[in-house]
Amino acid sequence: RDDIDGAVEALRQIYTNDPGRTPMDLYSRYGSESSSTSTLGSISTHVVWGNEDNVTPLDGAVGQLFSSLGENSESTGVTLEVVKGGHIPFDDNPEESNGSLLRWLRSVREERSKATSLLTGLLGERWFSR
């Protein structure tokens, strides 16, 4: 019974609390789709979106924002992968969702490794051994 009461309370809070700023508000304030030097543009972000998401559909305002950011990933730092699933694709389709995340994590690690090698070559090993 406590589990049910807790779940009901969690849902009540989701629907009645202040939702905070929208992603559109955040990007208009802290970053832009074309500025890799902006606060948000300097953070690599991977978004996994369910193709059957009826809560936040890909063709809605938030979906369109992340689609646009994903199309300009070189300057925005955002990648978007649409997988089969609904609003919570990691529950609906964990294999494809986790695969997407793991591929992205590997690519970030490879990019970091390349950047470290380049900087080490330019600045010397002593800069990285401090």
Side-chain angles (χ1 to χ4, degrees), residues 49-106:
W49 207 285
N51 67 338
E52 298 171 4
D53 186 343
N54 293 323
V55 177
T56 311
L58 197 55
D59 61 357
V62 177
Q64 288 178 2
L65 171 70
F66 282 104
S67 291
S68 176
L69 291 168
E71 289 171 4
N72 299 296
S73 63
E74 290 293 320
S75 61
T76 64
V78 175
T79 55
L80 169 71
E81 186 167 346
V82 178
V83 300
K84 183 177 180 183
H87 186 63
I88 306 173
F90 286 88
D91 285 346
D92 299 334
N93 187 350
E95 293 83 14
E96 193 174 356
S97 299
N98 288 326
S100 172
L101 184 58
L102 288 171
R103 284 188 299 279
W104 177 75
L105 288 170
R106 281 198 273 303

Side-chain angles (χ1 to χ4, degrees), residues 32-44:
S32 72
E33 294 180 26
S34 61
S35 175
S36 61
T37 59
S38 70
T39 302
L40 292 176
S42 65
I43 301 169
S44 293

Side-chain angles (χ1 to χ4, degrees), residues 29 37 48 72 77 119 122:
R29 181 171 181 176
T37 59
V48 179
N72 299 296
L119 289 173
L122 292 172

Side-chain angles (χ1 to χ4, degrees), residues 44 74 104-118:
S44 293
E74 290 293 320
W104 177 75
L105 288 170
R106 281 198 273 303
S107 73
V108 169
R109 183 177 58 199
E110 288 170 9
E111 288 301 314
R112 175 175 274 173
S113 178
K114 288 177 190 175
T116 300
S117 295
L118 176 65

